[in-house]
Amino acid sequence: MQALSMRYLLFIAGMGGLLYGIDVGIIAGALPYLESTASVAWKLSAQQLSFIVAAVLLGSVLSSLFAGAIADAIGRRWAMVLAGALFTISIPLIALSDGYTPLLLGRLLQGISGGLIGVVVPLYLAECLRAEQRGRGAALFQLLLTIGLVAAALIGLVQARHVEGATQAAQALAETARAAAVFDAKDHAWRSIFWMCLAPGLVFTFGSALLAESPRWLVQRGRSEQARTALLRTRAAAEADAELRDMQAAAGLARRGAAAAGAGEPTAGDIAAARGVVAGRGGAAATAADDPLLSRRYALPFLLACLVLACTQATGINSVLAYVVNILNQAGLPGATANMADVGLKLLNAVMTVVAVLLVDRKGRKFLLMLGSGGIVVALLAAGLLFRSAESGQRDVSAIVAALARGDTLSLRLDARTLKALGAQPGADADAAPQLLTVSYSYGPFTNVQTRRSDDPALAPMVLSRDDTVQADSVIGAFFRRLHLNPFADPAEGRSAPLKIQQAQLGALPSATHGWQVTLAICLFVASFAVGPGVCVWLALSELMPTRIRSNGMSIALLVNQFVSTTIAAVFLPTVGRHGYAAMFFFWAGCTVVYFLAAAFLLPETKGKTLEEIEAHFAR
């Protein structure tokens, strides 16, 4: 019975990871069809479509701020039920929407749900699992998260094939009927993509309601008998009683003397200190609740957890996965091959997460973080050096490109005539090696980067225009400008500023061999991340935080994680446009060196230790 209860707990927690992955990945498959239909039927602008995509991130940031307080107020179990319910409600709201507002609201609810899941599920696992099982539980959460990303991609692929089939079937129809049939197929596709996500949401919501509440949360509320009942669902009576006594002591509900702590591994005195019992202070016992929040026992693990979460995103993982097709195209792989490599990388991520599940409770968190961050440094340096070798041969053609502009607009096609004007070597060399042109430009504070290859079959022109670059004003931007804070670019400045070519680089496209070398480097990067930071970040988030600050501390640390991720995503394209991919890879490698050093010298090994023993490490 206890084994069955444990499997059920892990299954529901895994479903939370699945929802988190779906939250992040589902819009990628739906967006092309949503853009094709909603922009026509509802007259949505490009900015409104961007808001629909970004609403999940906004909702996640908002809920991360309050997830800890919600989990403290209503309990971990009901916070999970709330997260699942919000996700479940969002599906019909999106799939049945007939306008911009319900669609945006549904996406916002999905983000709020994801933010809650990202805090509450790892928190619940840390507080409910045995010390020797906690690593595997967090790894399972990460594994199902990666499977959620793959599932979202597969759902999009299934609907893409349906749309292709409907489009081919409509070829025999008259023009008006054909257009209507294709429109209906695309409209049905994006709605179906969201409908197919309803089942896991329902399973997680109702499954969470059947879980036992976190015993540590119950002890903090003085409900020790209910905590013991919760522990007995997954532990033998003797083990449950011993762990309950530790929880009561750590919560300040039991006071007893203890011997002074010695050096080395946590002793009985250390554990007593973590339980809130400190001896030798004028003969009076003090509890952890009496310590100020800025004391070593709270500040050090909190800052360490924030550092780990910030460095996890500073590896560049989200940007690499989001732009991997672009990266591999620039490295020399053709489009179709780069797309296949993208699918392969996602599968590699899932497979290596399985490896992490098997290793995390055997080898330990510290070992895996050092192994993973070390592999990431090697992979990023290799990719950076490969791109540096390719980018060093590029030439600055900014003056020539600027001269081709007509007023504040530029349109050029990278054909033989343009290549000659840009000074590309005529003859065999230019024919043998396709050319790559990257242009970074601006209209006042609004910047953009465009890239074209001379071997592109469509040979689409590069068009630089004010309308495509200067974004319309937003409610948020106008509000902050009225407060004279002005964190957003002012469209009024962009509408009056001239076109400025900041940088234009032309060079031979790297060979396919070079592209495969970069692919291998990125495979090492993804594999190393999955084995190390991908799993251990959730453990650092939940294990390092002391009981008193765990829920709110996890919220703040996850917010730091998301802030770093958002910042890197915002500067990625401008940086590679101005300085090349090598600069970005080298920057990430430098951040990951910091990660490795933190794992090696600052992070304690938490394998096989109770949360109270981990807290004792920082109390010494």
Side-chain angles (χ1 to χ4, degrees), residues 93-115:
L93 189 60
I94 294 172
L96 298 175
S97 60
D98 193 25
Y100 174 65
T101 300
L103 185 59
L104 183 66
L105 179 59
R107 290 284 293 161
L108 191 63
L109 287 179
Q110 283 191 333
I112 293 172
S113 169

Side-chain angles (χ1 to χ4, degrees), residues 91-406:
I91 297 301
L93 189 60
I94 294 172
L96 298 175
S97 60
D98 193 25
Y100 174 65
T101 300
L103 185 59
L104 183 66
L105 179 59
R107 290 284 293 161
L108 191 63
L109 287 179
Q110 283 191 333
I112 293 172
S113 169
L116 284 172
I117 289 172
V119 171
V120 177
V121 174
L123 172 62
Y124 181 80
L125 286 171
E127 293 186 344
C128 291
L129 295 178
R130 294 186 182 95
E132 63 271 15
Q133 295 173 323
R134 209 165 47 237
R136 185 166 297 182
L140 183 64
F141 178 82
Q142 174 67 14
L143 173 61
L144 267 294
L145 191 157
T146 62
I147 291 176
L149 291 171
V150 175
L154 291 176
I155 290 172
L157 181 61
V158 168
Q159 293 301 321
R161 291 185 174 179
H162 287 169
V163 170
E164 289 179 0
T167 302
Q168 293 176 358
Q171 295 302 315
L173 301 175
E175 182 176 351
T176 303
R178 181 170 66 249
V182 173
F183 182 92
D184 289 343
K186 291 182 176 181
D187 184 71
H188 180 266
W190 72 260
R191 295 180 190 274
S192 296
I193 286 173
F194 285 104
W195 275 125
M196 294 173 75
C197 301
L198 181 61
L202 289 171
V203 171
F204 179 73
T205 303
F206 290 105
S208 297
L210 299 177
L211 290 171
E213 182 52 84
S214 161
R216 285 175 172 81
W217 183 84
L218 291 170
V219 167
Q220 286 178 334
R221 295 299 184 276
R223 294 151 63 178
S224 297
E225 283 302 317
Q226 294 181 37
R228 184 176 186 275
T229 302
L231 287 170
L232 287 174
R233 296 182 68 168
T234 55
R235 292 158 173 81
E239 183 183 358
D241 289 338
E243 195 164 348
L244 180 61
R245 285 193 296 271
D246 285 351
M247 294 178 193
Q248 290 172 327
L253 299 179
R255 295 172 180 266
R256 56 188 174 85
E265 289 298 310
T267 64
D270 292 324
I271 298 173
R275 291 169 177 168
V277 183
V278 181
R281 296 182 181 177
T287 67
D290 298 326
D291 291 342
L293 290 177
L294 294 179
S295 64
R296 172 190 171 93
R297 70 185 304 138
Y298 298 127
L300 185 57
F302 170 75
L303 292 175
L304 185 56
C306 287
L307 176 63
V308 169
L309 266 77
C311 286
T312 297
Q313 289 301 331
T315 61
I317 182 64
N318 281 358
S319 292
V320 168
L321 292 179
Y323 295 103
V324 66
V325 175
N326 299 50
I327 293 171
L328 296 181
N329 274 329
Q330 299 294 317
L333 289 187
T337 305
N339 277 280
M340 290 178 61
D342 179 29
V343 175
L345 283 169
K346 289 180 178 177
L347 292 174
L348 175 64
N349 189 23
V351 170
M352 295 308 296
T353 303
V354 174
V355 175
V357 170
L358 301 175
L359 292 179
V360 68
D361 279 323
R362 297 179 184 178
K363 296 296 185 180
R365 291 66 155 142
K366 190 182 183 80
F367 171 81
L368 289 186
L369 271 180
M370 292 174 62
L371 176 67
S373 58
I376 291 171
V377 171
V378 172
L380 290 174
L381 287 176
L385 290 172
L386 286 167
F387 270 109
R388 173 58 60 88
S389 67
E391 292 166 353
S392 61
Q394 294 180 342
R395 296 180 296 104
D396 185 3
V397 292
S398 303
I400 303 175
V401 171
L404 295 175
R406 296 294 178 265

Side-chain angles (χ1 to χ4, degrees), residues 370-597:
M370 292 174 62
L371 176 67
S373 58
I376 291 171
V377 171
V378 172
L380 290 174
L381 287 176
L385 290 172
L386 286 167
F387 270 109
R388 173 58 60 88
S389 67
E391 292 166 353
S392 61
Q394 294 180 342
R395 296 180 296 104
D396 185 3
V397 292
S398 303
I400 303 175
V401 171
L404 295 175
R406 296 294 178 265
D408 291 329
T409 303
L410 171 65
S411 178
L412 62 86
R413 193 184 301 272
L414 203 58
D415 52 19
R417 179 180 177 183
T418 303
L419 287 172
K420 185 176 180 179
L422 293 175
Q425 293 295 326
D429 290 342
D431 294 335
Q435 299 293 298
L436 178 69
L437 175 66
T438 302
V439 178
S440 175
Y441 61 98
S442 66
Y443 289 91
F446 291 86
T447 63
N448 200 4
V449 177
Q450 290 196 46
T451 301
R452 291 293 185 274
R453 293 170 50 154
S454 63
D455 63 342
D456 182 359
L459 209 60
M462 178 184 291
V463 179
L464 281 53
S465 70
R466 191 188 310 276
D467 291 342
D468 294 337
T469 307
V470 179
Q471 302 169 1
D473 204 0
S474 65
V475 175
I476 297 176
F479 171 77
F480 277 103
R481 272 191 293 278
R482 284 195 295 269
L483 298 178
H484 304 289
L485 297 177
N486 197 28
F488 302 98
D490 189 347
E493 297 180 26
R495 284 193 291 269
S496 59
L499 168 65
K500 180 180 180 181
I501 305 298
Q502 297 177 327
Q503 187 172 355
Q505 296 283 337
L506 179 70
L509 188 72
S511 65
T513 300
H514 180 274
W516 283 115
Q517 291 171 341
V518 172
T519 302
L520 289 175
I522 294 179
C523 284
L524 175 61
F525 171 79
V526 171
S528 300
F529 183 88
V531 167
V535 166
C536 294
V537 64
W538 300 109
L539 291 168
L541 183 63
S542 57
E543 289 184 337
L544 294 179
M545 298 289 184
T547 301
R548 185 179 172 192
I549 66 168
R550 182 170 295 120
S551 54
N552 290 319
M554 286 176 64
S555 292
I556 297 172
L558 189 61
L559 184 64
V560 170
N561 176 276
Q562 292 173 333
F563 174 79
V564 174
S565 174
T566 304
T567 302
I568 289 177
V571 304
F572 180 79
L573 286 178
T575 300
V576 300
R578 293 293 302 274
H579 306 291
Y581 283 94
M584 205 75 234
F585 280 109
F586 288 146
F587 170 74
W588 290 334
C591 293
T592 311
V593 169
V594 175
Y595 201 170
F596 177 86
L597 294 175

Side-chain angles (χ1 to χ4, degrees), residues 8-9 11-13 15-16 19 77-89 92 117 124 197-212 233:
Y8 179 74
L9 184 156
F11 169 74
I12 296 301
M15 290 301 297
L19 287 191
R77 177 179 62 145
W78 288 112
M80 290 166 64
V81 173
L82 175 63
L86 291 175
F87 181 89
T88 302
I89 292 170
I117 289 172
Y124 181 80
C197 301
L198 181 61
L202 289 171
V203 171
F204 179 73
T205 303
F206 290 105
S208 297
L210 299 177
L211 290 171
R233 296 182 68 168

Side-chain angles (χ1 to χ4, degrees), residues 595-609:
Y595 201 170
F596 177 86
L597 294 175
F601 298 107
L602 299 179
L603 194 71
E605 180 54 73
T606 58
K607 179 187 70 170
K609 296 179 181 178

